Amino acid sequence: MQWRAPEHLGQLPVQLEERARLLIAGQLELIREIEDARRSAGAHLSAVRTILTAQRANASVYLDVTG
């Protein structure tokens, strides 16, 4: 179910406008940070999966964590 704003509340009071802008800006920044973290985790998981599928029981495996 998608969130819907309550109806019949009227306009946001002027004294709360700046606070609302800051809240929205903060939420958008967190969304960007979460997306960056998700992409990074996906890249790490992909690298680990590559190693796990290529690994032989009698071979050493090295992972370059800096590059």
Side-chain angles (χ1 to χ4, degrees):
M1 182 167 77
Q2 186 175 359
W3 182 85
R4 293 172 62 160
E7 297 177 10
H8 310 296
L9 293 180
Q11 289 189 325
L12 183 68
V14 174
Q15 63 269 26
L16 296 178
E17 287 179 3
E18 182 61 24
R19 185 174 176 185
R21 281 190 200 92
L22 291 172
L23 179 62
I24 290 170
Q27 288 175 335
L28 292 173
E29 177 60 27
L30 285 174
I31 289 168
R32 282 189 289 274
E33 289 177 20
I34 290 168
E35 282 297 315
D36 289 346
R38 185 191 62 77
R39 279 190 291 276
S40 178
H44 288 117
L45 182 57
S46 177
V48 168
R49 284 182 177 153
T50 300
I51 291 168
L52 293 177
T53 58
Q55 183 178 7
R56 293 186 311 246
N58 61 351
S60 296
V61 177
Y62 297 94
L63 175 62
D64 179 3
V65 295
T66 60

